[in-house]
Amino acid sequence: MTLYAVTIFLSAFLLFQVQPLIAKAILPWFGGSAAVWSASMLFFQLLLLAGYAYAHVSIRFLKPRVQMLVHVALLLGSCALLPILPSPMWRPTQVGDPTARILLLLTATIGLPYFLLSSTSPLLQAWFVRRTGSGVPYRLFALSNFGSMLALVSFPFLVEPRLATRQQAYSWSGGYVAFALLCAFTAWVSRSARVDAPEQVAADAESGERPGFWQLLFWVFLATCASVLLVSVTNHMSQNVAPIPLLWVLPLALYLLTFIFAFESDRIYQRWLFIPLLAPALAGMAYMIYAEDGNFNIKYAIPGYAIGLFICCMFCHGELARRRPAPRHLTLFYLMVSLGGALGGIFVALIAPRVFHVYWELPLAMVACGVLALFAVWRRMARLYWIVPAVVVVFLGGFGWYLFKHYRAFLAANHWPIVLWTGALLIMLAAWTWLPGHWAACAGRALVVAGIIVLSWYFVAQERKLSKNLVLQARNFYGPLEVRDDLPTEDYAERTLLHGTINHGSQLLDPVLRYVTTSYYAKKSGVGRAMTALQARGPVRAGVIGLGSGVLSNYGRKGDYFRIYEINPLVERIAQTLFTFYPHSPADKGILMGDARLTLERQLANEGPQNYDILAVDAFSSDAIPVHLLTREAIQLYFKHLKPEGVLALHISNRYLDLKPVCEGGAEAVGRQAWTVEDEGEDASYLSSSTWVLVTSDLAIYSGSFFKDAYSYQLGPTKGFRAWTDDYSNLFQILNVK
């Protein structure tokens, strides 16, 4: 037992340690988008399915000795592919959806090792049953998930802060070699059944009917629902903070924790507890999606989504555990579970961005979770009642506390229907406690059906509300984009580009005011002051990373040279057709498509330095930051393209991250000073508060008239802060949640 347990634990640890490791390594090549993790998750789920299919076919059709020889040969071959460092040849060279390239890159880099690690748990459990005659291998499945969760939790807290990416890759590769040797030895030990085991194995083979089609389908549906919830919740959190391992790991660790609880013991998952809890969990997540215009404070949103995800996945995986088959069918069971996981990944990463204009996958998964709960307990409704009063008290108490603190914002936001429905539902559930058995079952079914209908209605109603004054709604690999118009009757009515929930530039609709510079880029902003100060000296050469609605191109004059770097083709089309800043600019201008860093590197190699007077970096996606555009190597690259006294302007306005130490560390690496310029944007409603950091050796610029009334100050070193590099970054250092 120990040999199998250690091998399975090590394989699971390596399997999930490599996920954030390799995804973070390739993140800069694809624009730092949160969708890189979705595409990576799709790869992991597809390879998991392939590994489980290999284990199922191997056990079913190959003799034990042949299984051993094939597996050992594959293990030896996989070691030849180490270390797991992605080749630069996979860097994107074309504009567009990079999902296929990400999948090919991951296949070439970690494909075979990941495939073999995926197959280890079901394969070794089957070998264990064959060799020992044991009928309880599912604890090994729980042990596998414990190893996976330990790997995920250790990465952001222990591995990432201490080891650079290359060191992580080599350390992981060394661990994989140890696993390969251990697994090969386990395969040799398992090449035949023990002498005293055949009778027990034969008896087990006769027990347990083969699962029927509807049972297989329900396994797949439960696994698919949990998978979609996992990836869509991760996407929702990542797009508003940063696509970083911490926010990848938390949902995935909770997902695995529910697997551990469900399969370790039948006493942990109890329907009478978790199914009633689905009502407040689903209602709470539904509220957070739309609360505060989609900008619900992460201090509450992250734990709220985490609790909701845990309850929903606990239901899905608990129902899977209740329906698990006899040991002889365990590889088929794992195959169906992995198929559901892969289908969920395909839906979120491939289908949803091409079918939906907004993030519909999370609401759909939540409704599906309610439907699955209805089917799961249709015949047992009368047995789930005595915990309900406690759930009512907890929910109403928690909601009462929240309403006491935020009642004005809550009532103004018009979210009361979902909460009133949930409260009414729970009160009716409490009343249902005292109904006779038959009537209790009927009432329970009716209440759950009504709850699913109202939840669906709430999502549709909120999306219809958000679609008012909508000019365009579109979505691609890089996320959802919206263009909205204010009502013409409003003062200073604007047309605004939103990426996720964040303003990416606006333009006044009044023809007289149309070319007034707005939002974060006004004359009194850091970039506005720097741009006008440089233009006072003569024509300027300006580079801009991040097009948005094209507001910065409004500074372009005849004789100026503007080059704008943009990765998202949708943004480029919107800026040229729905806004007029860029088309109207008389400057010598151009838009260079692709990741800005890769484009600047190619320009440096092929054309030489661009000799910019100013380079503005404004490439945020919602509140998520592209870490690879703020590292020491990135800052050094920018100054290779700037004139000796050129200005680097970094836009660091952010609700949750204090990026000043990052900018100061980059400035120190190039021997320049970093100055922060803050503007509250209080002069007009169309202006936004902004924080820019200017990095330059031309200190005379700050003494001129353009900075006379500016609120600016020089940044100094932050004690204990470790500068960001391409190999190292740590958002814990700069997290600012109030």
Side-chain angles (χ1 to χ4, degrees):
M1 179 70 167
T2 302
L3 177 62
Y4 293 91
V6 171
T7 308
I8 288 174
F9 178 86
L10 180 58
S11 71
F13 185 88
L14 293 170
L15 185 73
F16 280 82
Q17 183 92 154
V18 78
Q19 292 185 8
L21 190 162
I22 196 69
K24 184 182 178 183
I26 67 172
L27 189 65
W29 294 359
F30 300 96
S33 168
V36 173
W37 178 245
S38 297
S40 300
M41 278 296 294
L42 172 61
F43 169 82
F44 301 142
Q45 289 166 325
L46 289 175
L47 262 288
L48 187 69
L49 173 62
Y52 280 16
Y54 160 73
H56 179 67
V57 171
S58 180
I59 293 297
R60 187 173 179 85
F61 298 107
L62 299 181
K63 295 181 179 179
R65 186 172 294 275
V66 177
Q67 294 174 28
M68 184 267 294
L69 293 174
V70 169
H71 203 67
V72 170
L74 290 173
L75 287 168
L76 292 174
S78 66
C79 289
L81 301 176
L82 303 176
I84 53 161
L85 291 170
S87 170
M89 67 171 284
W90 289 105
R91 290 186 175 190
T93 56
Q94 297 179 340
V95 177
D97 189 335
T99 302
R101 195 173 190 88
I102 292 172
L103 296 177
L104 290 173
L105 183 161
L106 293 173
T107 301
T109 307
I110 62 168
L112 186 55
Y114 196 90
F115 168 78
L116 293 172
L117 289 169
S118 299
S119 69
T120 300
S121 180
L123 193 61
L124 266 64
Q125 287 183 56
W127 288 351
F128 175 76
V129 171
R130 183 180 66 205
R131 184 169 183 269
T132 65
S134 170
V136 190
Y138 287 102
R139 282 199 168 183
L140 291 175
F141 184 58
L143 178 66
S144 169
N145 285 303
F146 175 70
S148 303
M149 191 181 70
L150 186 64
L152 288 171
V153 173
S154 66
F155 187 84
F157 296 104
L158 297 177
V159 177
E160 187 184 22
R162 289 170 172 79
L163 298 177
T165 302
R166 181 171 291 271
Q167 294 172 318
Q168 294 170 19
Y170 277 102
S171 299
W172 187 93
S173 300
Y176 182 82
V177 171
F179 156 76
L181 294 173
L182 188 60
C183 191
F185 177 68
T186 307
W188 181 80
V189 170
S190 307
R191 66 191 185 280
S192 60
R194 281 176 48 179
V195 176
D196 57 347
E199 292 183 3
Q200 176 63 34
V201 174
D204 177 68
E206 294 175 0
S207 66
E209 296 181 2
R210 178 180 173 83
F213 172 77
W214 293 111
Q215 178 75 314
L216 298 178
L217 195 62
F218 201 62
W219 288 346
V220 172
F221 283 162
L222 287 167
T224 301
C225 183
S227 175
V228 174
L229 283 166
L230 165 66
V231 184
S232 55
V233 166
T234 306
N235 277 351
H236 192 79
M237 292 196 300
S238 295
Q239 80 167 27
N240 282 327
V241 183
I244 54 168
L246 172 63
L247 292 182
W248 301 340
V249 161
L250 175 62
L252 190 51
L254 291 170
Y255 175 87
L256 291 172
L257 187 63
T258 61
F259 259 123
I260 295 171
F261 286 164
F263 285 89
E264 173 61 23
S265 171
D266 293 336
R267 294 189 297 271
I268 296 178
Y269 172 70
Q270 299 294 333
R271 282 176 167 172
W272 54 261
L273 173 61
F274 284 99
I275 289 180
L277 284 175
L278 281 176
L282 293 174
M285 288 197 292
Y287 170 73
M288 288 186 292
I289 291 173
Y290 300 103
E292 299 177 20
D293 296 323
N295 293 305
F296 199 59
N297 193 313
I298 64 167
K299 183 167 64 174
Y300 307 111
I302 289 180
Y305 280 117
I307 293 169
L309 179 67
F310 176 82
I311 292 171
C312 292
C313 288
M314 194 68 210
F315 157 72
C316 292
H317 296 151
E319 291 299 320
L320 279 171
R322 286 177 66 95
R323 290 168 165 78
R324 61 185 183 268
R328 66 175 296 220
H329 299 300
L330 68 88
T331 56
L332 177 62
F333 174 71
Y334 292 148
L335 182 62
M336 293 299 102
V337 172
S338 62
L339 174 61
L343 290 175
I346 290 171
F347 176 72
V348 175
L350 297 181
I351 297 175
R354 291 160 177 79
V355 174
F356 305 134
H357 294 312
V358 294
Y359 279 122
W360 265 112
E361 49 266 41
L362 179 55
L364 287 176
M366 292 166 59
V367 172
C369 187
V371 173
L372 289 172
L374 180 64
F375 279 103
V377 296
W378 183 262
R379 298 179 181 178
R380 299 175 175 84
M381 279 289 181
R383 304 178 187 177
L384 304 175
Y385 55 80
W386 66 272
I387 193 65
V388 173
V391 177
V392 173
V393 172
V394 171
F395 173 78
L396 293 180
F399 173 64
W401 172 83
Y402 179 83
L403 192 61
F404 175 75
K405 296 191 67 175
H406 307 283
Y407 70 96
R408 285 194 177 92
F410 179 82
L411 293 174
N414 198 31
H415 292 293
W416 57 268
I418 188 68
V419 179
L420 288 182
W421 159 73
T422 308
L425 176 62
L426 289 172
I427 291 170
M428 286 187 289
L429 283 170
W432 163 52
T433 302
W434 289 277
L435 290 174
H438 172 71
W439 290 105
C442 294
R445 294 164 190 159
L447 286 171
V448 175
V449 170
I452 294 168
I453 293 172
V454 174
L455 185 64
S456 303
W457 167 83
Y458 177 76
F459 286 131
V460 173
Q462 288 296 320
E463 289 299 331
R464 289 186 63 184
K465 176 184 173 184
L466 292 174
S467 66
K468 292 180 180 179
N469 305 321
L470 199 63
V471 177
L472 175 73
Q473 197 171 49
R475 178 182 174 185
N476 63 5
F477 176 84
Y478 300 101
L481 293 168
E482 293 181 351
V483 178
R484 294 182 176 277
D485 282 353
D486 292 337
L487 293 174
T489 55
E490 295 184 29
D491 293 336
Y492 300 118
E494 299 174 79
R495 170 167 291 180
T496 305
L497 172 63
L498 297 170
H499 193 155
T501 59
I502 301 302
N503 183 333
H504 275 233
S506 59
Q507 185 168 22
L508 293 167
L509 295 176
D510 186 339
V512 177
L513 304 174
R514 182 163 295 170
Y515 297 107
V516 172
T517 309
T518 61
S519 55
Y520 313 103
Y521 318 102
K523 298 286 186 180
K524 290 187 177 181
S525 68
V527 69
R529 293 177 186 274
M531 188 75 74
T532 51
L534 292 170
Q535 287 180 327
R537 302 174 182 177
V540 299
R541 293 178 62 88
V544 178
I545 297 178
L547 174 60
S549 61
V551 182
L552 277 176
S553 61
N554 198 44
Y555 282 102
R557 309 167 305 178
K558 189 174 182 180
D560 290 340
Y561 178 92
F562 269 65
R563 289 297 179 268
I564 301 176
Y565 301 84
E566 176 58 50
I567 194 172
N568 192 339
L570 267 178
V571 171
E572 188 264 344
R573 177 165 63 86
I574 290 170
Q576 299 228 48
T577 58
L578 297 180
F579 295 86
T580 60
F581 285 127
Y582 179 82
H584 179 262
S585 173
D588 176 358
K589 59 186 183 291
I591 299 174
L592 305 176
M593 298 302 299
D595 178 73
R597 238 188 104 170
L598 298 181
T599 304
L600 287 167
E601 288 172 358
R602 283 194 292 267
Q603 283 184 314
L604 189 64
N606 300 330
E607 305 170 18
Q610 297 299 297
N611 293 314
Y612 291 129
D613 294 290
I614 183 171
L615 180 59
V617 180
D618 180 42
F620 292 1
S621 170
S622 191
D623 257 356
I625 61 168
V627 172
H628 71 296
L629 296 181
L630 294 173
T631 62
R632 180 181 62 196
E633 292 83 354
I635 304 296
Q636 291 170 341
L637 175 64
Y638 301 150
F639 275 94
K640 290 177 182 178
H641 283 287
L642 283 161
K643 292 177 180 178
E645 294 186 348
V647 178
L648 174 64
L650 301 168
H651 187 194
I652 63 167
S653 305
N654 198 284
R655 292 174 294 176
Y656 307 122
L657 302 173
D658 179 11
L659 293 165
K660 297 185 189 74
V662 180
C663 298
E664 196 284 326
E668 184 180 3
V670 293
R672 264 78 168 180
Q673 290 187 9
W675 284 69
T676 297
V677 181
E678 297 182 3
D679 175 39
E680 293 300 323
E682 296 176 338
D683 293 347
S685 62
Y686 54 80
L687 302 179
S688 304
S689 64
S690 65
T691 303
W692 288 81
V693 171
L694 306 181
V695 182
T696 183
S697 60
D698 181 14
L699 301 184
I701 195 173
Y702 301 119
S703 59
S705 60
F706 297 99
F707 284 85
K708 187 175 181 180
D709 60 342
Y711 177 61
S712 62
Y713 50 92
Q714 183 180 350
L715 294 179
T718 301
K719 185 177 180 180
F721 181 81
R722 180 178 172 183
W724 286 10
T725 67
D726 286 349
D727 270 348
Y728 174 83
S729 60
N730 182 5
L731 263 74
F732 279 118
Q733 298 171 299
I734 61 170
L735 194 61
N736 182 27
V737 180
K738 295 181 180 178

